Amino acid sequence: MTSPDVADVRFLLLPLPDFALLPFAGFLDKLRFSADDEDYSRQRYCRWTIAGLTAGSIRASCGALLQAEQALAELDPGDYDYLVLFGSRQASAMSALAPGCRALLRSIAARGVKLVSIDNACFLLAACGLLDGYRVAVHWRHVAEFQASFPRVRLVPEALYLQDGARLSCAGGTAAIDLAVALLSRHSGRERALKGLADMLVDDSRSSQHALRSLHAAASDRGPLGRAIAQMRDWLAGPHHTERLAQAVGISRRQLDRLFHASHGMSASDYWQEMRLQHVRWRLLNSPHSLATLADEVGVADSSYLGKLFRRRFGLTPGACRRQAATTPPPDEAPPGTI
């Protein structure tokens, strides 16, 4: 049995400004349950420190405040096995932190500390050049943005989490619990890693390649229509047409259009175009990328034509949409790939 004075594994937790509270809380609570023989939250078998880029409070995306124990630069990286970075909702905000963090993060990596990115923290590590040559798991909502920003970093589509050498990544959300279980299993054994899952009302941990039923619920629960919508999302940037979509689903084009008219009041091709335009709008509001880049993402060869489609749908140009968002909080909106 591990001595109370020698932990199996040591974590340095770094919630970044505007971090998502769910993955941070899930990861930390899993450590807490596994750290002690009972439920006393003593840091015996694993230990952790909560740091900030600066000392003081860190605001989560939901507005909650978390108190950092110390600033990251004040800590000795040699005291930890993993530096776990928790990202914010805005991927571009994470990339913008790179100039001020690059030297420090590189020095920590050089000390042999494994770097773990959760949610959009992968944008920060990639912007610092710390993911070059590594495979990365990215939240499905930000795959297109990550590919556009860092085309030389290899993505593993739909992976919940993964490890590639000294770099680990996690898509975020409750997948942070699964990642914590995987790390604790490696260092403390499977039995201790699973401790507390029932208290957290969580079923057995998921593998890194677990397919989210919620992401593909339409495909599994709604027959040909659901499969068509899931395929539209997968083919968002491809030169695919409705005829091929109908073939992939296993019905005729006419049957496919009838299904879409009955369910959504529009043809399959109109629904697909709406999905693409919603994706472009979301990217305009949440990234700095050009309209030409976004046109590539949705399979439109001419960015001018995309601009016309966008104005016809939303009543303003893409540039005006972005400028408006800079001065006015955007309204609630559907995530890309949904209508």
Side-chain angles (χ1 to χ4, degrees):
M1 180 178 292
T2 305
S3 165
D5 298 322
V6 182
D8 297 319
V9 58
R10 303 157 299 170
F11 296 93
L12 179 52
L13 308 182
L14 181 67
L16 296 164
D18 203 32
F19 69 100
L21 189 59
L22 174 59
F24 176 82
F27 191 93
L28 179 57
D29 220 30
K30 183 78 260 326
L31 298 187
R32 182 183 72 82
F33 273 111
S34 295
D36 199 359
D37 292 312
E38 300 298 334
D39 189 14
Y40 300 138
S41 302
R42 294 175 298 187
Q43 297 188 31
R44 302 184 65 191
Y45 302 106
C46 65
R47 293 184 177 175
W48 59 88
T49 298
I50 299 173
L53 293 179
T54 58
S57 61
I58 310 165
R59 185 177 297 275
S61 60
C62 64
L65 294 178
L66 176 71
Q67 189 68 24
E69 298 173 37
Q70 287 181 268
L72 179 63
E74 298 172 353
L75 295 163
D76 181 359
D79 292 337
Y80 303 93
D81 302 296
Y82 296 92
L83 170 61
V84 188
L85 300 93
F86 296 86
S88 79
R89 176 178 178 273
Q90 294 286 345
S92 57
M94 295 294 91
S95 296
L97 294 173
C101 298
R102 185 176 291 111
L104 178 58
L105 292 177
R106 286 182 173 179
S107 69
I108 291 173
R111 293 283 300 273
V113 180
K114 294 180 174 65
L115 303 183
V116 185
S117 63
I118 293 183
D119 206 339
N120 285 332
C122 58
F123 283 81
L124 171 57
L125 293 187
C128 291
L130 289 164
L131 295 182
D132 294 349
Y134 290 96
R135 295 177 300 126
V136 181
V138 177
H139 191 287
W140 65 268
R141 181 181 286 191
H142 295 281
V143 166
E145 185 173 5
F146 191 90
Q147 288 176 323
S149 301
F150 310 104
R152 289 191 290 272
V153 178
R154 294 177 291 165
L155 295 186
V156 179
E158 298 188 3
L160 294 184
Y161 62 90
L162 61 86
Q163 177 171 0
D164 189 1
R167 301 291 183 271
L168 297 90
S169 51
C170 173
T174 58
I177 299 173
D178 302 299
L179 173 60
V181 170
L183 293 176
L184 292 166
S185 294
R186 183 177 306 149
H187 293 280
S188 299
R190 184 71 175 171
E191 181 178 357
R192 185 169 297 285
L194 295 176
K195 179 178 175 290
L197 283 184
D199 298 85
M200 299 172 73
L201 302 181
V202 174
D203 287 329
D204 196 10
S205 61
R206 300 168 294 183
S207 72
S208 62
Q209 296 299 315
H210 176 84
L212 288 175
R213 290 193 299 272
S214 56
L215 183 59
H216 298 290
S220 61
D221 298 339
R222 295 170 59 194
L225 180 67
R227 293 198 300 274
I229 292 173
Q231 195 67 67
M232 285 176 175
R233 187 186 301 117
D234 291 342
W235 286 354
L236 199 66
H240 304 295
H241 302 289
T242 313
E243 290 286 354
R244 184 176 177 190
L245 177 64
Q247 292 174 3
V249 174
I251 60 177
S252 70
R253 165 70 181 274
R254 181 174 296 181
Q255 287 175 305
L256 186 64
D257 276 332
R258 278 203 298 263
L259 287 173
F260 273 93
H261 274 295
S263 180
H264 299 286
M266 65 181 77
S267 68
S269 61
D270 286 343
Y271 185 96
W272 209 347
Q273 178 167 293
E274 176 70 8
M275 181 184 287
R276 288 183 167 114
L277 291 175
Q278 291 290 351
H279 173 88
V280 170
R281 179 176 179 271
W282 190 89
R283 292 279 278 116
L284 285 168
L285 297 176
N286 292 278
S287 83
H289 293 112
S290 68
L291 188 62
T293 296
L294 305 189
D296 288 339
E297 290 182 13
V298 296
V300 177
D302 186 348
S303 60
S304 296
Y305 178 61
L306 177 60
K308 292 178 182 177
L309 292 175
F310 188 93
R311 183 171 184 174
R312 186 184 307 158
R313 169 62 180 86
F314 297 109
L316 72 171
T317 66
C321 176
R322 181 169 273 166
R323 288 192 297 272
Q324 186 182 81
T327 57
T328 306
D332 291 340
E333 58 191 89
T338 63
I339 296 177

